[in-house]
Amino acid sequence: MKKLFALTSGIALCAGMAAANESLKGLIDDPNQWAIQTGDYKNQRYSKLDQITNENVGDLQVAWTMSTGVLRGHEGSPLVIGNMMYLHTPFPNIVYALDLDQDGKIAWKYEPKQDPDVIPVMCCDTVNRGVAYADGKIFLHQADTTVVALDAKTGEVAWSVANGDPSKGETNTATVMPVNDKIIVGISGGEFGVRGSVTAYNIADGSMAWRAYSMGPDSDILMDPEATTHLGKPVGADSGTNTWEGDQWMIGGGTTWGWYSFDPELNLIYYGTGNPSTWNPAQRPGDNRWSMTIMARDADTGMAKWVYQMTPHDEWDYDGINEMILSEQTIDGTERKLLTHFDRNGLGYTLDRESGELLVAEKFDPAVNWTTGVVMDKESPEYGRPQVVAQYSTEQNGEDVNSTGICPAALGSKDQQPAAYSPETELFYVPTNHVCMDYEPFRVSYTAGQPYVGATLAMYPAPDSHGGMGNFIAWDGKTGEIKWSLPEQFSVWSGALATAGNVVFYGTLEGYLKAVDATTGEELYKFKTPSGIIGNVMTYTHADKQYVGILSGVGGWAGIGLAAGLTNPNDGLGAVGGYAALSDYTALGGQLTVFALPN
């Protein structure tokens, strides 16, 4: 009887979780909600809502606003589940539940009590990319790495778990992604010698299901030497250690603070790993696998199906954590399951997301000069590798040598600010940085909890161009071509939104929300919010009316000078000097602005 009871209880539990998962999927698929930070599991940030169109978007008005009560950089976006909006802030990571049926009345507020000593350990501002929802819970990954499950109705803590140790430099800036009966959680801290990992916690109680490191022994990185492939070939034994010198992999970086996507049919999650530690390439000879890598893992077990390392032996801090956007498109007459990724290194990649086959690798900013391109000949021993230009190689130029004119800068041709994809136009809409740098590596020693960078940087606009530091582009992922490009004075650090109304929205560092035609790029509307925008545009309906929401609050890496009151041009890993003029256009803030068409 005990065995029968256990069996039937297990079946009931699985059935209940399946129902919960179907419920979440239903919310994600309902365009009236905004139930996940990425818009959907494919990371497309596309909405089927079409009340607001390219013909009437010029009539948008501010419908309502709310101050978050917190300064610093506001990344991510609110969620909308039914009549409730869930809003988050940077550190101290306050969560508000707002009742949309009662003019945004605060139904509950959660304010964690975190040690402020975590603030100086966080790289590039105290941002947080938002909360997640599943199974009646709101999930928050706090700056101090505490993962908290809150009752969505009351805000009461259902469970919490520590995902890392800030005293070692482990912090968090990212959201989490609910998948099946688990939530997928990353870690920040590559500038402190943290060894990156992705962890799956069980939604029901917060217990750990699996953890996969970015580098280390096969058992740590959850790779099968024969079954896991890299560009179609088995990775082989010890792939996570044999391209490192000694035990450098133990403090090897490869952190996982970006975005995650999920293919339910393949049951695979996709994400990227960050830069290797330290930024001085001379201290870590070898390819430094698996930093700078696109990972495809089984959602239930964490086992890697395939990997692709984009920037072997990174010499420029080109984190690979940017989002993986999933789509179905026809190439050479065959519809394929695709993955498109715009990397910090300035290359836009399209791969077959089932097999990991590399299909496209092209520059999405013409200023990119550190590489002549990626070898696409499958018969070449260099297949899949970018070819490095010696003039811009910080490794070849050596320690204590200032390599100048490298494009892009360390913050990349695009950082974490997510692109959008429209299945109607089959174009990607990409917020980009148009920034170059000087980079001088130097020898640094490791001490747990202390910065482990080993380079001095200076950043500036790409020379011989439009004079600004950003572009907003439309990109064809099948061919690797820019279809149109809109110059911006500063980097476009806001996440984009594409809609069925043939409108694409994005924000600017000066604080403008902009709407452009999805086909032509023509600017149709702009409104200046109280502070610079580094948040992600979202949309939802309430009482049958479409709304567009955006968080403003300048900060992030590009705005760290303003956010933290820094003035030394080399502070903020070189960003303070590069973005010094930003203070002429905006100031600190923290506000949600919601737009709608007039009644």
Side-chain angles (χ1 to χ4, degrees), residues 320-332:
I321 59 85
N322 294 351
E323 72 284 357
M324 311 296 161
I325 305 175
L326 312 185
S327 65
E328 290 73 44
Q329 298 185 67
T330 300
I331 295 182
D332 297 330

Side-chain angles (χ1 to χ4, degrees), residues 222-250:
L222 300 188
M223 286 188 186
D224 183 324
E226 298 304 320
T228 304
T229 60
H230 179 251
L231 294 173
K233 297 180 180 179
V235 295
D238 305 318
S239 66
T241 57
N242 61 19
T243 63
W244 293 85
E245 184 176 74
D247 60 1
Q248 182 72 23
W249 59 267
M250 297 180 69

Side-chain angles (χ1 to χ4, degrees), residues 487-553:
E488 289 286 351
Q489 181 171 358
F490 297 102
S491 293
V492 185
W493 211 267
S494 158
L497 171 71
T499 75
N502 206 41
V503 180
V504 176
F505 296 91
Y506 68 97
T508 74
L509 277 173
E510 306 101 299
Y512 285 105
L513 174 76
K514 293 189 175 184
V516 300
D517 186 285
T519 304
T520 67
E522 177 189 359
E523 185 177 298
L524 305 172
Y525 175 80
K526 69 176 182 178
F527 178 89
K528 193 168 187 182
T529 66
S531 185
I533 295 176
I534 64 171
N536 304 330
V537 193
M538 53 81 74
T539 187
Y540 66 97
T541 67
H542 182 249
D544 299 320
K545 188 178 184 68
Q546 182 181 357
Y547 294 86
V548 173
I550 185 68
L551 284 167
S552 60

Side-chain angles (χ1 to χ4, degrees), residues 364-368 412-415 417 419 428-435 461-474 482 484-494 496 506-509 514 579:
F364 63 93
D365 184 345
V368 174
S413 293
K414 190 180 88 63
D415 204 299
Q417 60 268 39
F428 296 85
Y429 302 96
V430 192
T432 75
N433 311 314
H434 195 52
V435 186
D464 304 319
S465 186
H466 58 74
M469 301 178 75
N471 295 293
F472 187 77
I473 71 170
I482 297 172
W484 48 256
S485 180
L486 308 177
E488 289 286 351
Q489 181 171 358
F490 297 102
S491 293
V492 185
W493 211 267
S494 158
Y506 68 97
T508 74
L509 277 173
K514 293 189 175 184
Y579 292 84

